[in-house]
Amino acid sequence: MAERTTPIRVLIAKPGLDGHDRGAKVLARGLRDEGFEVIYTGLRRTVDSIVAAAIEEDVDVVGCSILSGAHATLLPKLVASLRASGASDVLVVAGGIIPEADRPELEQAGISGIFGPGTTIAEVATFLRANARRR
Amino acid sequence: MPVDAKHLAARRELAQGISAVERPGPAANQRIQVALATSAAEARNALVVGLTGAPGAGKSSLAAALADVARAAGRRVAILAIDPSSHESGGALLGDRVRIDEHPDDDGRFTRSIATRGSGRSLAHVAAAATILVEAAGFDLIFVETVGAGQVEIGIARLADVLLVVEGPEGGDEVQAMKAGILEVADIVAVNKSDRPGAQAAFDRLRSGLALGAGAPELALVSATAGAGISELLATIDELGAGRGVRGRIRRVEAHLVAAAESHVDAQVREATASGALTTRAEQIVAGTQPLTGSITALFGISESPDA
Ligand code: B12
Ligand SMILES: Nc1nc2c(ncn2[C@@H]2O[C@H](COP(=O)(O)OP(=O)(O)OP(=O)(O)O)[C@@H](O)[C@H]2O)c(=O)[nH]1
Ligand SMILES: [Mg+2]
């Protein structure tokens, strides 16, 4: 497919009651500086509102930041809702505090990449450029 | 309960349409034409309200508050929030949604963040085209938020049926500075954050400053977060927008044509700069080997007026 002529659009979301937003903000600014269009929706969003925002913004990537331990329930639900809404070509990635042991199950559920503490912006940017849909 | 896919299908189509017109070309024009035909056939005459003002004045919060009041009255409401792209990276941080509540199961709402991308003038080139699509999708009231910075306001003034300038309680000195520019094109100046000290004083300063001029904008004192004065402000907006009929859509097409021309010129300028053609031509003009006249045509493909 043709090279993309427009920036990759990424929604950075904080689902659930988790109040840790430092990582999400670091990532949002960092990805902007890497040439991404980053939509940040703020704290405490429901899965449904993240899905609706992803659809309305026509993003290429949804990135969830979760440090509360709620990833095992929230992330599969998010992927399922996105798919059910027709956004099956949207890449879903996650970061924050996600134990190694939980990762295979999340990957199985459709989370394409999981990034823990110490991840560099460059690593995330490279991954997204390689894996986001082309258009 | 998961949002149901059917619910989001219409919003998804509109969202993809906006992405499509963000890539200029024949396909984009085709979509805009279809949208215009739909609006004409269904006699859609959306009211487009521009919101501009300094960063942090409360534009997004105010758009959201106005949208809530309008939606409660059964109107279908959209918000287009425009933020600048970084000149260095080409990326953008679009954070207006933080202030705008999501309504996942309400098809009568639509919010979209738009980056200015290549538009040096910072009202996104695509803004007019996006409003044309949103209108065709059946939204009656469309808020377009843009960060106020000089030149931009002229763009938003061209696009909007009603232009609202949002001021914070600190407004005063800025008001003086703004007088020459934005207040000439503003239909309404809203002093926001009336729940905070200083807002009333800013409002009074503004009122005494504006009382002198003819054709002065309407004034409002509101609080987006406390919900004060919002219904009244919406009533003023409606009054000013009343009777626009098809004029609104004509105005949007005008704005789109200007944006398309600007976009074209911006692209030519970028290319001539990157390729070195601009510098080469300037060197030739300085050395006297090329005339100034004809240079704009040679560089950017714009025809010069005969007596230029
Ligand atoms: C700072 C901090 C806080 C601050 C948060 C400030 C803020 N506004 O963010 C405060 C003091 C408020 C706080 C409160 C609490 N915290 Co706290 N907090 C931390 C701490 C020390 C650092 C988090 C941080 O900011 N890191 C810096 C950022 C830049 O890193 P990051 O978020 O990990 O993000 C990086 C990567 O993970 C990745 N990434 C993150 N998100 C995403 C998303 C995507 C899409 C991608 C690609 C990558 C990515 O990229 C980032 C850059 O490398 C962690 C411990 C730790 N070392 O992680 C505990 C920690 C997260 N907190 C914890 C807890 C329990 C709490 C509290 C419940 C109570 C408490 N015990 O303090 C409250 C709850 C607050 C709430 N309302 O949710 C636990 C969570 C345990 C768990 N999940 O099982 C931790 C792990 C501490 C611990 N070991 O117990 N906390
Ligand atoms: N006290 C008070 N705070 C307000 C009011 N309206 C907005 N704010 C706050 O002002 C800050 C900026 O509000 P926004 O709505 O994001 O302002 P904006 O003009 O859209 O900002 P930019 O898009 O960044 O230019 C936020 O912290 C809001 O909560 C108000 O009526 N009263
Ligand atoms: Mg805003």
Side-chain angles (χ1 to χ4, degrees), chain A residues 12 17-24 26-27 44 63-69 93-97 115-120 124:
Chain A
I12 297 291
L17 299 175
D18 181 9
H20 296 90
D21 61 357
R22 202 183 289 166
V26 165
L27 201 69
R44 300 189 184 89
C64 281
S65 180
I66 308 185
L67 289 81
S68 65
V93 296
I97 305 293
F115 301 84
T119 306
T120 63
V124 178

Side-chain angles (χ1 to χ4, degrees), chain B residues 79-100:
Chain B
I79 301 176
L80 304 179
I82 301 168
D83 281 311
S85 298
S86 153
H87 290 295
E88 270 137 60
S89 74
L93 184 45
L94 309 167
D96 296 302
R97 283 189 102 99
V98 172
R99 309 278 166 231
I100 302 167

Side-chain angles (χ1 to χ4, degrees), chain A residues 21-37:
Chain A
D21 61 357
R22 202 183 289 166
K25 285 178 168 168
V26 165
L27 201 69
R29 268 191 295 272
L31 289 177
R32 182 220 22 218
D33 296 340
E34 287 281 344
F36 293 79
E37 283 182 6

